[in-house]
């Protein structure tokens, strides 16, 4: 299949192949070509440039994108798309004044989702999850990380990871799986943390590795959840099976968790609603990508990641949805980009960089996704006619996507 997209008003995020992320002041630069063409052959981007040099070969499909922008699909590097049911009642409880911690202490939160997941068949979880995956693809996401973490039992975690694997096999979207057995302590282990961590390390991890079900390992490093020491045990165990860490940290408190993650070469540290000067210093020069989840801040009314402060210090930043049933029941990356601009004061250029090239870095897929680069995956968004790409975050409630192509396939 050979596709030509011609008369593109703005072709965004055009990069050389050796650029895998952008940091600090570089995040304000979004390379583009005006009045452009783009060629897709099978699953890859093979050519692009100005219309002056548009090829005249024979194409299977020609798309006229006059007045429209074309950009790489969003890369969502932090989600919990695989789950059972919902937590609508907790949404109402929060409106009525209960905090996240109060809801968790009375059996809600993660433990509520774990109970539902363990009561639901693998087939039903797959059916619910594929509907969410199809929705985010239509919203322009072309690569997504999906975590386990609502099983909290050996079979429950395996069930989730098998569903993620099946989604990856059945859909063109790039999927990476993260094992998050350390999401919360099950009730029966509330007073015996080490026994649950032993279960993760000695039973869950070997079975996950035997079936090749995960790419990364995660833990909820937070006051009242997993301590630094406990998280370090989990990160070290994951490395024995080739699973690099991607860690939830600094959502509610700053307890020097970021330093531990950087020490263990975490590919990303995610949430970061609370960030200290010390955390910023630790992240400088590291391989670890900070990831902000602004729609989580929006939904449960907690602070937003201090993006401006972090970028001013020279750090990179990625954006992701945190799509999950309790604190962010949305996988809409368009809303994430808009919210980053509106609430975190990121420029459109910075937000688009954070949601594409830096998101790809946070997923470990920089070589194939995140930019318009020859040889990369043909995963692109074609917008509706726009005055400029600034309209994407400006018109935050409008669907400005006309077509989505994921890995060469029209969605």
């Amino acid at each position: 299949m050979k596709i030509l997209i011609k008369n593109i008003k703005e072709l965004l995020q055009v990069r050389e192949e050796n650029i895998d992320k952008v940091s600090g002041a570089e995040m304000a630069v979004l390379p583009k070509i005006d009045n452009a063409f783009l060629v897709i052959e099978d699953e890859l981007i093979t050519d692009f440039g100005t219309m002056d040099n548009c090829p005249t070969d024979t194409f299977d499909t020609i798309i006229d994108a006059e007045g429209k922008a074309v950009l790489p699909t969003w890369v969502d590097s932090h989600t919990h798309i695989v789950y059972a049911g919902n937590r609508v009642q907790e949404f109402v409880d929060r409106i009525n004044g209960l905090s996240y911690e109060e809801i968790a202490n009375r059996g809600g939160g993660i433990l509520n989702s774990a109970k539902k997941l363990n009561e639901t068949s693998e087939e039903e979880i797959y059916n619910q999850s594929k509907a969410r995956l199809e929705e985010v693809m239509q919203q322009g996401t072309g690569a997504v990380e999906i975590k386990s973490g609502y099983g909290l039992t050996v079979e429950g975690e395996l069930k989730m990871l098998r569903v993620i694997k099946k989604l990856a096999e059945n859909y063109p979207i790039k999927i990476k799986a993260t094992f998050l057995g350390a999401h919360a302590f099950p009730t029966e282990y509330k007073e015996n943390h080490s026994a649950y961590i032993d279960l993760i390390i000695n039973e869950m991890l070997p079975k996950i590795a035997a079936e090749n079900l995960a790419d990364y390992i995660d833990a909820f490093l937070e006051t009242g959840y997993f301590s630094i020491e406990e998280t370090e045990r989990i990160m070290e165990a994951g490395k024995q099976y080739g699973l690099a860490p991607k860690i939830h940290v600094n959502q509610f408190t700053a307890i020097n968790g970021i330093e531990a993650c950087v020490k263990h070469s975490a590919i990303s540290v995610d949430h970061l609603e609370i960030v200290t000067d010390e955390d910023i210093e630790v992240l400088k020069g590291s391989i670890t990508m900070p990831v902000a989840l602004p729609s989580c801040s929006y939904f449960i009314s907690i602070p937003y990641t201090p993006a401006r402060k972090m970028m001013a210090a020279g750090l990179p930043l990625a954006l992701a949805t945190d799509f999950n049933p309790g604190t962010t029941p949305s996988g809409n990356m368009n809303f994430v980009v808009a919210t980053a601009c509106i609430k975190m004061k990121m420029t459109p250029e910075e937000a688009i960089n954070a949601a594409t090239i830096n998101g790809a870095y946070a997923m470990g897929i920089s070589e194939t996704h995140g930019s318009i680069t020859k040889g990369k995956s043909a995963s692109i968004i074609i917008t509706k006619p726009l005055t400029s790409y600034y309209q994407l975050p400006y018109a935050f409630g409008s669907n400005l996507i006309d077509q989505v192509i994921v890995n060469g396939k029209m969605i």
Side-chain angles (χ1 to χ4, degrees), residues 138-150:
Q138 289 162 357
Q139 292 169 341
T141 294
V144 65
E145 180 258 19
I146 308 175
K147 302 176 189 294
S148 68
Y150 293 129

Side-chain angles (χ1 to χ4, degrees), residues 105-161:
N105 288 338
R106 59 184 215 174
I110 295 162
L111 296 182
N112 183 2
S113 286
K115 182 174 183 293
K116 287 175 181 170
L117 184 122
N118 283 297
E119 291 170 351
T120 306
S121 71
E122 188 171 318
E123 182 182 13
E124 178 55 25
I125 294 165
Y126 175 81
N127 288 334
Q128 291 183 27
S129 301
K130 76 174 186 178
R132 297 180 201 113
L133 186 68
E134 289 169 6
E135 179 183 52
V136 302
M137 289 168 69
Q138 289 162 357
Q139 292 169 341
T141 294
V144 65
E145 180 258 19
I146 308 175
K147 302 176 189 294
S148 68
Y150 293 129
L152 307 184
T153 62
V154 176
E155 279 312 308
E157 290 295 305
L158 288 170
K159 181 162 64 172
M160 288 189 75
L161 289 165

